[in-house]
Amino acid sequence: MSTEPLNTPVMQNIIQPPQSVGVESAMLVLQRGAEVGRRWPLSRTHPITIGRSDECDIALPDRQVSRFHARVSWLGDRYQVEDLGSKNGTHVNGQEVQSPVPLRDGDELQVALRFKLAFVDAGATAPLTFSNENTGLRLERETRQVWVNGMLIDPPLSLHQYRLLEALWDSSGGVVTREGIVNTVWPEASGEGVSEQAIDALVRRLRERIAEFDEDFRYIVTVRGHGFRLENR
């Protein structure tokens, strides 16, 4: 099945409101993932499979997604989604899919809590442009996922790397002291046995992981004599 990526212009420092257009056929629109805004038209005659396998109509390459994870099909007078015995589950509006669930315009499908797909019914409106969500760093606490310029950091950050990033994120651009980093990243250490070299090594490694996805911007800034702060695009 053909797919059509959406045009997602980025305007620095300006967040454009989403534009909308009426759609002739129902579709699924990716809301969380590396290609936010990508859409897949649905067919009443051909069920749509979702999964990690390249054989799926909607292929989501992530280890948490089962090879054949879920299926969307037409039954009677509406579309429905069913889980195909996946390991990490399928949810509709936060509720786990135990049996086929009818879909209504605006419903949100979550695949293994990694990807979000919006169901847009025929005759409804679908967003054609998005804000600059795909620019910079984004952190999601519920899954401990980190996205850089719309790309998921995978393999995931280590526990200590994630704790450090979360502490910087929570400071909202403020400085996090070395003591604050120790208390957040190594709470069990109670400030003992964590050297400045260990902190510097952790910061360096986190910078390297982020740079794998965006080497042109320095997200973690050293504030000499004070600590570190997070600067986002």
Side-chain angles (χ1 to χ4, degrees):
M1 172 168 290
S2 62
T3 58
E4 179 184 355
L6 294 179
N7 180 30
T8 55
V10 176
M11 299 182 64
Q12 192 171 18
N13 299 325
I14 299 177
I15 299 178
Q16 295 292 333
Q19 297 177 355
S20 299
V21 65
V23 296
E24 296 181 359
S25 62
M27 65 175 62
L28 293 175
V29 181
L30 188 63
Q31 292 187 310
R32 177 199 288 169
E35 298 178 275
V36 170
R38 191 172 184 178
R39 56 184 178 176
W40 292 267
L42 300 177
S43 169
R44 295 188 179 185
T45 58
H46 174 69
I48 302 299
T49 54
I50 304 170
R52 190 177 73 250
S53 172
D54 291 337
E55 299 177 20
C56 292
D57 300 288
I58 301 178
L60 303 176
D62 189 286
R63 292 174 298 175
Q64 299 300 314
V65 178
S66 297
R67 292 187 68 251
F68 295 92
H69 197 103
R71 177 169 54 218
V72 176
S73 57
W74 177 264
L75 181 65
D77 61 350
R78 65 181 57 190
Y79 287 97
Q80 64 174 15
V81 61
E82 58 184 312
D83 186 81
L84 299 179
S86 68
K87 179 180 179 180
N88 293 310
T90 303
H91 294 74
V92 175
N93 300 328
Q95 299 297 314
E96 186 173 3
V97 174
Q98 302 283 359
S99 58
V101 174
L103 292 174
R104 297 174 176 79
D105 182 54
D107 279 350
E108 181 183 87
L109 279 67
Q110 290 181 284
V111 180
L113 297 179
R114 289 280 194 173
F115 297 88
K116 286 184 180 180
L117 296 155
F119 173 72
V120 181
D121 208 352
T125 57
L128 284 185
T129 60
F130 290 78
S131 66
N132 56 350
E133 184 181 21
N134 274 352
T135 302
L137 187 146
R138 183 161 53 92
L139 181 151
E140 295 184 354
R141 299 176 191 276
E142 62 182 14
T143 60
R144 289 190 175 180
Q145 289 179 301
V146 179
W147 304 79
V148 181
N149 291 341
M151 296 176 287
L152 175 66
I153 294 184
D154 192 31
L157 299 178
S158 69
L159 176 60
H160 287 167
Q161 291 167 4
Y162 178 82
R163 284 176 175 175
L164 171 59
L165 182 59
E166 189 174 60
L168 294 168
W169 180 276
D170 288 343
S171 71
S172 301
V175 175
V176 179
T177 65
R178 290 176 177 271
E179 181 181 359
I181 290 175
V182 171
N183 292 336
T184 301
V185 177
W186 295 279
E188 67 282 355
S190 300
E192 299 179 0
V194 179
S195 65
E196 290 196 1
Q197 290 77 12
I199 297 173
D200 290 337
L202 179 63
V203 171
R204 181 173 63 254
R205 182 54 182 150
L206 179 56
R207 281 175 173 154
E208 291 172 350
R209 292 300 315 279
I210 295 173
E212 293 173 12
F213 300 86
D214 188 353
E215 60 182 8
D216 298 325
F217 189 83
R218 193 171 184 84
Y219 289 88
I220 302 176
V221 178
T222 301
V223 183
R224 295 192 180 279
H226 296 280
F228 304 89
R229 65 181 180 84
L230 180 68
E231 186 171 312
N232 209 348
R233 281 189 184 271

